């Protein structure tokens, strides 16, 4: 992010708010990047329709394809481009800051026929005051600093916790504690009419709770250990069920000379949407209308090698498995997924990166049905 001071605007804004003493110590910073992608994709069961989420980036569980469609497609997009705005103010020894960031991913409110116009969406919107953070940002259960350097929007999607949501977080040194927005996703008994249906419920009064510890070693290694506890709650005209779920995640960045290894290992019972972009649900409704939690496991490892100060490559492997009870879920729910990536990136100058990446992914349902995706991706990224 470029850290450009706009002191005149800052002063005028704070004077208007009556905070003249803080005006000289406030910074306004704009940042973000422009990214253009070209993706050549081969779907084993037929490509999803244009605009489908899987055509924007790899989402485990969405690559089973559309019967009757062609298997090979090419997509051009600039939707990952983003911009953000941050303020930072020192107030009598207290640090106050705000941050908001938008991009154009996931929306289906545009098309590729004429203008490729897509609405911006909120990624982050939060305020921090000393040790407190309030607003929407990465879940405390996730460590974005350990994500591999891939061209795909998420990269290693199966193996990582990946959620942004509203929360209240307290940080003290390496410790972090958070109360976060709850949302329950469960599978109907037998999988529902379509065999892979999902019940989504925002009922209940107990927020998701996360505790995390970050620590570094003298050798430059960085690690996090995070724990998640949550209530699964479904209340509607037909169901009134509650149970508890949990998860544990360990991530790290390990320097290897000029190179590095990044990894994550996560396991839990009832994690659901916290892992693999909700590839599996947190639980399933049994014959009595109660929630039976689903155990799941995921992880990735990525090795990044610097060929010189301008060229680098990453090799990444990622996997996820859900321990479904097929007698309750049926056979059409997602069971396991894995993917692999290899890329070559070149930065002729620091803000600009061009690169090529090949990925292969396979998803398998409980009954053994599977879908495969092979994708060759070219990208140009300019950091503002």
């Amino acid at each position: 992010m470029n850290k450009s001071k706009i002191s005149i605007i800052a002063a005028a804004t704070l004077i208007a708010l009556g905070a003249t003493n803080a005006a000289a110590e406030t910074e306004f910073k704009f940042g973000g990047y422009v990214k253009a992608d070209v993706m050549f994709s081969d779907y084993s069961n037929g490509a999803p329709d244009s605009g489908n989420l899987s055509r924007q980036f790899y989402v485990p569980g969405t690559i089973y394809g559309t019967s009757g469609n062609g298997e090979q497609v090419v997509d051009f997009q600039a939707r990952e481009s983003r911009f953000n705005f941050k303020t930072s103010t020192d107030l009598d020894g207290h640090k106050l800051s705000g941050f908001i960031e938008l991009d154009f991913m996931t929306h289906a409110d545009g098309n590729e026929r004429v203008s490729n116009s897509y609405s911006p969406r909120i990624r982050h919107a939060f305020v921090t005051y000393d040790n407190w953070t309030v607003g929407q940002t990465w879940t405390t259960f996730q460590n974005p600093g350990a994500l591999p350097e891939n061209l795909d929007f998420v990269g290693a999607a199966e193996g990582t916790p990946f959620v942004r949501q509203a929360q209240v977080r307290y940080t003290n040194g390496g410790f972090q504690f958070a109360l976060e927005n709850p949302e329950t996703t469960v599978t109907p008994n037998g999988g529902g009419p379509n065999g892979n249906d999902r019940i989504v419920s925002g009922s209940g009064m107990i927020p998701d709770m996360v505790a995390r510890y970050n620590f570094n070693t003298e050798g430059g290694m960085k690690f996090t250990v995070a724990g998640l506890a949550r209530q699964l709650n479904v209340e509607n005209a037909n169901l009134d069920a509650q149970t508890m779920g949990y998860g544990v995640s360990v991530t790290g960045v390990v320097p290897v000379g000029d190179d590095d290894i990044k990894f994550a290992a996560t396991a839990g019972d009832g994690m659901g949407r916290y892992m693999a972009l909700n590839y599996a649900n947190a639980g399933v409704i049994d014959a009595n209308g109660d929630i039976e939690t689903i155990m799941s496991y995921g992880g990735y490892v990525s090795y990044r090698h610097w060929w010189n100060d301008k060229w680098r490559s990453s090799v990444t492997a990622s996997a996820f498995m859900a321990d479904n009870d097929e007698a309750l879920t049926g056979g059409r729910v997602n069971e396991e997924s894995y993917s692999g990536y290899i890329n070559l990136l070149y930065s002729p100058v620091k803000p600009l990166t061009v690169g090529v990446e090949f990925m292969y992914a396979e998803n398998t349902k409980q009954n053994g049905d599977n879908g495969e995706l092979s994708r060759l991706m070219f990208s140009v990224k300019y950091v503002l």
Side-chain angles (χ1 to χ4, degrees):
M1 179 192 297
N2 258 354
K3 299 183 177 180
S4 303
K5 288 189 178 181
I6 311 179
S7 56
I8 297 177
I9 297 177
T13 303
L14 290 167
I15 289 171
L17 295 173
T20 55
N21 291 336
E25 300 179 15
T26 297
E27 293 182 354
F28 283 52
K29 305 170 186 176
F30 294 89
Y33 59 76
V34 175
K35 185 167 182 275
D37 300 317
V38 180
M39 297 174 289
F40 296 89
S41 304
D42 187 330
Y43 294 85
S44 63
N45 299 330
D49 294 333
S50 177
N52 184 280
L53 199 60
S54 180
R55 300 278 293 267
Q56 299 177 34
F57 60 97
Y58 170 55
V59 180
T62 66
I63 67 172
Y64 297 102
T66 302
S67 178
N69 284 3
E71 296 180 357
Q72 291 84 34
V73 292
V74 60
D75 290 288
F76 289 65
Q77 68 173 20
R79 296 177 64 158
E80 190 182 326
S81 301
R82 66 185 62 164
F83 58 92
N84 52 55
F85 177 63
K86 179 180 181 180
T87 66
S88 181
T89 306
D90 288 324
L91 295 172
D92 296 326
H94 298 281
K95 185 67 174 293
L96 174 66
S97 64
F99 184 80
I100 186 166
E101 182 174 67
L102 309 176
D103 72 1
F104 307 89
M105 298 293 285
T106 73
H107 277 294
D109 60 350
N111 59 67
E112 300 179 10
R113 290 184 292 111
V114 179
S115 66
N116 288 267
S117 301
Y118 299 97
S119 299
R121 61 161 189 168
I122 289 179
R123 286 173 50 83
H124 301 273
F126 62 87
V127 60
T128 63
Y129 184 74
D130 291 340
N131 296 343
W132 292 93
T133 299
V134 181
Q136 176 168 306
T137 188
W138 301 113
T139 174
T140 312
F141 192 56
Q142 175 187 354
N143 178 18
L147 287 174
E149 188 181 23
N150 288 353
L151 296 181
D152 181 72
F153 179 60
V154 178
E158 300 96 343
T160 182
F162 194 94
V163 174
R164 288 186 300 271
Q165 60 190 7
Q167 61 194 267
V168 178
R169 179 193 299 171
Y170 177 76
T171 301
N172 187 349
F175 290 96
Q176 294 181 307
F177 307 92
L179 300 178
E180 305 192 5
N181 182 64
E183 187 83 347
T184 298
T185 61
V186 297
T187 301
N189 185 256
N194 297 313
N196 58 352
D197 293 336
R198 171 176 290 152
I199 298 171
V200 180
S201 171
S203 59
M205 292 293 291
I206 300 178
D208 292 354
M209 294 170 282
V210 183
R212 173 170 147 184
Y213 180 60
N214 311 300
F215 61 97
N216 303 333
T217 70
E218 292 182 358
M221 294 183 286
K222 301 177 181 179
F223 299 99
T224 70
V225 179
L228 165 71
R230 59 191 303 238
Q231 182 193 58
L232 309 180
N233 188 306
V234 178
E235 296 180 39
N236 56 36
N238 303 310
L239 295 169
D240 186 355
Q242 301 82 33
T243 192
M244 295 299 295
Y246 70 89
V248 177
S249 184
V250 178
T251 65
V253 180
V254 180
V256 183
D258 293 332
D259 303 340
D260 58 57
I261 296 173
K262 297 181 177 182
F263 71 89
T266 306
D269 199 11
M271 288 189 297
R273 66 185 179 89
Y274 277 89
M275 278 295 293
L277 305 180
N278 207 171
Y279 177 77
N281 291 322
V284 57
I285 302 298
D286 66 16
N288 298 318
D290 297 323
I291 301 173
E292 294 291 335
T293 54
I294 296 174
M295 192 78 184
S296 58
Y297 316 84
Y300 67 82
V301 61
S302 180
Y303 177 71
R304 180 172 61 175
H305 173 66
W306 287 84
W307 302 101
N308 54 44
D309 61 349
K310 298 183 184 299
W311 292 87
R312 61 199 182 275
S313 295
S314 291
V315 179
T316 305
S318 176
F320 176 88
M321 184 182 73
D323 189 10
N324 300 301
D325 183 345
E326 190 170 349
L328 296 177
T329 63
R332 296 185 61 190
V333 295
N334 295 324
E335 180 188 22
E336 61 183 21
S337 177
Y338 64 85
S339 62
Y341 308 77
I342 184 169
N343 61 36
L344 179 64
L345 309 180
Y346 172 60
S347 296
V349 292
K350 188 175 181 179
L352 180 66
T353 297
V354 297
V356 57
E357 179 172 276
F358 176 77
M359 68 161 290
Y360 171 81
E362 182 172 339
N363 294 167
T364 303
K365 291 184 179 292
Q366 191 67 37
N367 61 8
D369 289 347
N370 71 343
E372 301 173 43
L373 168 64
S374 299
R375 175 171 287 166
L376 185 64
M377 183 172 181
F378 299 88
S379 296
V380 176
K381 177 180 177 180
Y382 172 63
V383 180
L384 303 176

